[in-house]
């Protein structure tokens, strides 16, 4: 995706703010000065400043100018739709998700309640019921992962998974574009097996198997999307490929099995 002049100016001003060159409370130069300094039009400047304001990095004061927000360097983390416009961006997000979800599943296995298991099962049942609709299925997939997050009893997992939302589960029509219906059915069946393995491990309170199941599920998702990787600058290597080459951490190691306890 080509970088526009607005993109470039926004990135420069954002970096200046986050690096402290434009300090909290400092007044930005006028649009005229920025346009002349950066050799862009005032329209480009206005669009870039509007983006900064939308991100909470600057505030406009009537009749006074635009100022760097006092809390600009402590802004909330976010992943925007525009940042996921390329396949490589989605793969990077899936890599991040792998790190999060492996330990999230392990904690869920250790802490889950019967109510959590019911929520996970209902999410998977709904996903099966709407599997003909990729977008609806992705929404149900999110609900499954959110129910795992709740089972950790750690609200930060819940907030993170809830924030990522549809960014977390790319609809399968990205992966299966122009593919026959048989390919869609095979995809649904494979993902279902992976989800069932995670749920079974959490049900049995098998922390190690839950961790490994989540790792396998995420690595499979990475591999599936990497099949579209002809658009990437360099060949994609799955986590398992890198492990075999000694270039990445191995899958989560097996730990002594946790003794099961009756459902609460």
């Amino acid at each position: 995706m080509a970088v526009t002049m607005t993109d470039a100016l926004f990135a420069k001003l954002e970096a200046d703010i986050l690096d402290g060159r434009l300090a909290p409370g400092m007044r930005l130069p006028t649009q005229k000065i920025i346009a002349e300094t950066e050799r862009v039009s005032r329209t480009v400047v206005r669009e870039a400043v509007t983006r900064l304001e939308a991100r909470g990095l600057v505030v406009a004061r009537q009749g006074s100018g635009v100022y760097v927000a006092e809390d600009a360097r402590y802004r909330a983390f976010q992943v925007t739709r525009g940042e996921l416009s390329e396949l490589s961006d989605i793969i990077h997000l899936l890599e991040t998700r792998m790190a999060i979800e492996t330990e999230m599943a392990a904690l869920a296995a250790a802490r889950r309640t019967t109510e959590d298991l019911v929520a996970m099962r209902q999410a998977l049942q709904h996903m099966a019921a709407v599997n003909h609709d990729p977008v609806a299925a992705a929404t149900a997939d999110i609900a499954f992962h959110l129910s795992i997050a709740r089972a950790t009893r750690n609200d930060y997992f819940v907030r993170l998974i809830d924030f990522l939302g549809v960014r977390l589960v790319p609809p399968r029509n990205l992966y299966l574009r122009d593919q026959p219906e048989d390919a869609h059915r095979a995809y649904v069946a494979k993902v279902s097996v992976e989800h069932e393995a995670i749920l079974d491990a959490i049900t049995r309170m098998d922390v190690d198997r839950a961790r490994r199941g989540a790792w396998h599920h995420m690595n499979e998702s990475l591999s599936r999307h990497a099949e579209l990787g002809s658009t990437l600058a360099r060949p994609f290597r799955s986590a398992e490929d890198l492990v075999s080459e000694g270039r990445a951490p191995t899958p989560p190691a097996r730990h002594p099995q946790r003794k099961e306890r009756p459902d609460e």
Side-chain angles (χ1 to χ4, degrees):
M1 183 173 60
V3 176
T4 67
M5 288 188 289
T6 300
D7 294 333
L9 180 58
F10 167 78
K12 182 179 186 302
L13 294 173
E14 179 187 43
D16 286 345
I17 291 170
L18 297 181
D19 292 342
R21 288 187 290 274
L22 289 173
M26 183 181 292
R27 184 177 182 274
L28 264 63
T30 64
Q31 290 185 7
K32 180 177 184 295
I33 292 175
I34 294 176
E36 292 173 350
T37 302
E38 302 299 330
R39 297 181 180 178
V40 296
S41 69
R42 292 198 189 188
T43 299
V44 168
V45 176
R46 279 196 299 271
E47 291 175 352
V49 171
T50 297
R51 283 195 203 176
L52 292 173
E53 191 171 4
R55 292 283 186 94
L57 294 173
V58 300
V59 291
R61 297 176 186 168
Q62 188 74 28
S64 178
V66 178
Y67 295 79
V68 178
E70 293 295 337
D71 58 351
R73 299 182 68 187
Y74 303 97
R75 62 183 179 147
F77 171 80
Q78 58 181 309
V79 179
T80 65
R81 181 175 298 178
E83 291 175 299
L84 296 179
S85 59
E86 300 290 336
L87 178 62
S88 57
D89 299 321
I90 293 173
I91 288 177
H92 290 156
L93 183 61
L94 289 171
E95 289 174 340
T96 304
R97 187 180 156 201
M98 175 186 281
I100 294 168
E101 296 235 10
T102 51
E103 289 310 308
M104 189 173 81
L107 287 172
R111 300 172 181 175
R112 95 309 182 264
T113 65
T114 302
E115 290 74 16
D116 294 320
L117 298 180
V118 170
M120 293 176 209
R121 174 55 62 195
Q122 288 177 340
L124 292 186
Q125 288 173 340
H126 181 59
M127 188 173 176
V130 298
N131 63 27
H132 59 283
D133 182 341
V135 175
T139 300
D141 198 340
I142 294 163
F144 174 65
H145 291 279
L146 190 56
S147 65
I148 293 175
R150 292 192 179 103
T152 67
R153 301 292 174 269
N154 182 332
D155 190 54
Y156 290 109
F157 277 119
V158 178
R159 290 161 60 184
L160 179 59
I161 299 303
D162 186 50
F163 163 76
L164 287 174
V166 294
R167 305 169 185 84
L168 191 70
V169 184
R172 68 175 183 266
N173 51 4
L174 171 69
Y175 165 64
L176 294 174
R177 63 181 67 179
D178 303 322
Q179 294 297 307
E181 186 60 32
D182 285 349
H184 283 260
R185 284 194 291 268
Y187 177 95
V188 168
K190 185 172 180 59
V191 171
S192 177
V193 169
E194 294 166 10
H195 282 162
E196 289 291 344
I198 296 170
L199 178 54
D200 183 67
I202 293 174
T203 299
R204 296 174 184 275
M205 305 191 79
D206 189 329
V207 172
D208 178 64
R209 195 155 64 89
R211 181 184 288 115
R212 293 176 68 84
W215 188 92
H216 175 73
H217 176 49
M218 296 315 310
N219 189 60
E220 287 296 301
S221 185
L222 278 166
S223 297
R224 285 189 287 265
H225 286 85
E227 290 180 19
L228 300 174
S230 59
T231 59
L232 299 180
R234 57 187 174 84
F236 173 82
R237 309 296 290 161
S238 73
E240 286 178 348
D241 292 334
L242 296 178
V243 166
S244 68
E245 297 167 6
R247 295 168 54 199
T250 57
R254 295 184 180 277
H255 298 291
Q257 294 299 308
R258 181 184 178 91
K259 185 178 179 180
E260 294 184 20
R261 66 171 186 256
D263 289 345
E264 298 176 9

